[in-house]
Amino acid sequence: MSGARRGYAAAAEKLKLSLVLPHQALFTSADVVQVNISAATGDMGILAEHVPSIEPLRPGVVEVIEATGEAPKKFFVSGGFATVHPNNLLTINAVEAAPLEDIAPEAVRANLAEAEKVLAGNGSEADKMEAEIESEVYTAIQFALQK
């Protein structure tokens, strides 16, 4: 049997990553080996030759494994979209992102407790909806920090 076959991406193959926020670009067409995302349908790893797709992101970690062999870079994103384009291009548009190592666990615990207090209280429906979102995000951050 001759011809090309699709398989696990070879180490020599690179993915061009652009990770952008409304106010800045964290990566712009950077050569990376793999990107792991928290998609709405579940966690997934993206390598070169990935099938084109659009994935909504849930609050969670975007892990970038660069070709340099350095430790992976981990960012907590509040949500957004990952678009896998043909020709090994990946664009991630996120509303907010922060390096995981910059997040203080104590602040996360305090903010989560405050959101849960609002949810349990007699606040307005709008306050409770906002607290529900905050609770979801802070719970996801807390989970990411425990890994």
Side-chain angles (χ1 to χ4, degrees):
M1 178 175 180
S2 65
R5 68 180 178 88
R6 182 168 161 80
Y8 198 73
E13 295 180 87
K14 302 292 186 282
L15 189 61
K16 292 272 189 199
L17 170 66
S18 293
L19 173 54
V20 295
L21 310 174
H23 59 282
Q24 85 181 100
L26 300 175
F27 291 89
T28 305
S29 294
D31 283 335
V32 301
V33 174
Q34 180 174 342
V35 178
N36 300 318
I37 63 172
S38 297
T41 56
D43 293 344
M44 63 186 289
I46 301 169
L47 300 160
E49 303 300 325
H50 193 282
V51 65
S53 64
I54 298 174
E55 299 291 335
L57 300 176
R58 69 181 195 281
V61 174
V62 170
E63 179 181 33
V64 179
I65 302 168
E66 296 182 273
T68 60
E70 294 178 23
K73 292 187 170 93
K74 295 181 181 182
F75 300 89
F76 186 85
V77 299
S78 60
F81 288 90
T83 306
V84 182
H85 305 274
N87 302 321
N88 298 324
L89 302 174
L90 171 62
T91 304
I92 298 175
N93 297 304
V95 178
E96 298 174 301
L100 204 53
E101 72 259 7
D102 291 353
I103 299 174
E106 312 78 47
V108 172
R109 280 192 293 278
N111 290 332
L112 178 57
E114 185 62 32
E116 289 174 346
K117 192 162 93 174
V118 171
L119 283 171
N122 294 327
S124 71
E125 199 60 34
D127 288 344
K128 287 188 175 194
M129 289 172 60
E130 185 176 325
E132 180 69 35
I133 294 167
E134 289 175 356
S135 177
E136 178 185 349
V137 171
Y138 286 122
T139 299
I141 293 171
Q142 198 168 48
F143 178 76
L145 291 172
Q146 292 172 357
K147 285 187 171 183

